[in-house]
Amino acid sequence: MRVRNKPWAKGYMADHLDRLVVEPEPLKGNWQSRFPSNQPLFVEIGTGKGQFIIEMARQYPDRNFIGIEIQTSVIAVALKGVVNSGLTNIQLVHTDGEAINTFFEAGEVAGLYLNFSDPWPKKRHTKRRLTSPVFLAHYADVLQPEGQLQFKTDNRGLFEYSLGSLNNFGMVFEGVWLDLHAATDGVEDIQTEYEQKFSKKGPIYQVIAHFPTNN
Ligand code: SAM
């Protein structure tokens, strides 16, 4: 996501540290302390301007949500959305999602969302894809048993890569959609900013899977 530098971003973020975490490691195992109620915790990596995660928090008040975003000028916009929403079951984290296992404890995360992640099409950048083995290993560390990884994208190349990557990791597929918006199986789809933009140009792909359990 390319955005212009926002001169107000850093000051605004410093003023709203009740909604934004900039040093997540000390919260490992203790994220519920950031919310009024102890509820299942759902995380989105690469949350962008927050449209998806804010709407999820609105529709599911019995869950807690965390949006992780690496870019300052982008998360500042998401933060405005969170503050203006008045919702208390959502927090944002300004960091690299790759390090997720350094700030969530094993089993602390009930479900994980990856929406329209950057495709990194060049082979030498494969490791930066959010569905590459390095990231998957960290997701496996923090997701509770049978906790879902839900991934959607408009990018067929990234989708095909991701199916292979999840499969190589032994993940169990719960559903694969090659045209999510044409689905007639009662799929609920809260749309992201990119989804609204790119669904006009072609199909949206989705996969829902979980890591194998050892029983
Ligand atoms: N999910 C949003 C949507 O669907 O509208 C935004 C999609 S945008 C293409 C991808 C976002 O992921 C960007 O804002 C980017 O900064 C963020 N991102 C990429 N790699 C990341 C990482 N390792 N950790 C956290 N955020 C990341």
Side-chain angles (χ1 to χ4, degrees):
M1 175 174 284
R2 294 233 172 118
V3 288
R4 281 210 193 100
N5 181 42
K6 301 211 165 16
W8 52 267
K10 285 192 176 153
Y12 188 81
M13 287 161 73
D15 287 343
H16 293 91
L17 293 175
D18 54 332
R19 304 306 198 105
L20 174 74
V21 172
V22 293
E23 201 192 331
E25 289 80 7
L27 283 162
K28 188 172 184 174
N30 196 25
W31 282 94
Q32 296 293 343
S33 67
R34 296 284 301 185
F35 299 95
S37 306
N38 194 327
Q39 311 187 114
L41 189 62
F42 290 81
V43 175
E44 181 185 26
I45 302 181
T47 217
K49 294 178 188 165
Q51 177 168 316
F52 172 83
I53 202 82
I54 294 170
E55 190 51 32
M56 287 294 284
R58 199 186 318 277
Q59 291 198 20
Y60 297 96
D62 54 350
R63 302 177 188 177
N64 291 331
F65 293 90
I66 290 180
I68 300 175
E69 172 55 52
I70 199 166
Q71 287 189 69
T72 306
S73 296
V74 177
I75 200 167
V77 177
L79 183 58
K80 271 200 173 175
V82 168
V83 171
N84 293 339
S85 75
L87 295 164
T88 55
N89 61 331
I90 177 168
Q91 291 274 313
L92 297 176
V93 182
H94 185 210
T95 197
D96 184 342
E98 184 178 348
I100 191 167
N101 59 332
T102 67
F103 54 86
F104 288 112
E105 206 158 73
E108 198 170 9
V109 178
L112 199 53
Y113 299 99
L114 308 175
N115 292 316
F116 299 82
S117 310
D118 297 320
W120 294 110
K122 290 188 182 146
K123 197 156 186 195
R124 68 174 189 276
H125 292 146
T126 306
K127 279 188 184 160
R128 297 186 193 173
R129 297 177 191 157
L130 297 194
T131 49
S132 70
V134 177
F135 281 85
L136 292 182
H138 295 174
Y139 305 156
D141 284 346
V142 301
L143 269 171
Q144 65 188 40
E146 306 217 353
Q148 289 180 337
L149 175 67
Q150 194 165 323
F151 170 65
K152 56 183 172 176
T153 181
D154 63 306
N155 187 302
R156 188 164 179 113
L158 179 64
F159 191 65
E160 287 173 356
Y161 165 83
S162 302
L163 289 180
S165 184
L166 270 57
N167 185 53
N168 291 343
F169 222 89
M171 290 189 76
V172 180
F173 290 88
E174 297 182 25
V176 175
W177 291 261
L178 298 179
D179 188 349
L180 182 63
H181 292 190
T184 52
D185 48 1
V187 181
E188 269 185 55
D189 189 38
I190 293 181
Q191 297 208 8
T192 80
E193 189 187 348
Y194 267 59
E195 186 168 0
Q196 285 180 333
K197 196 164 152 195
F198 288 106
S199 59
K200 295 180 189 119
K201 299 181 180 166
I204 301 302
Y205 308 97
Q206 178 175 264
V207 56
I208 299 179
H210 64 260
F211 290 96
T213 45
N214 297 325
N215 51 10

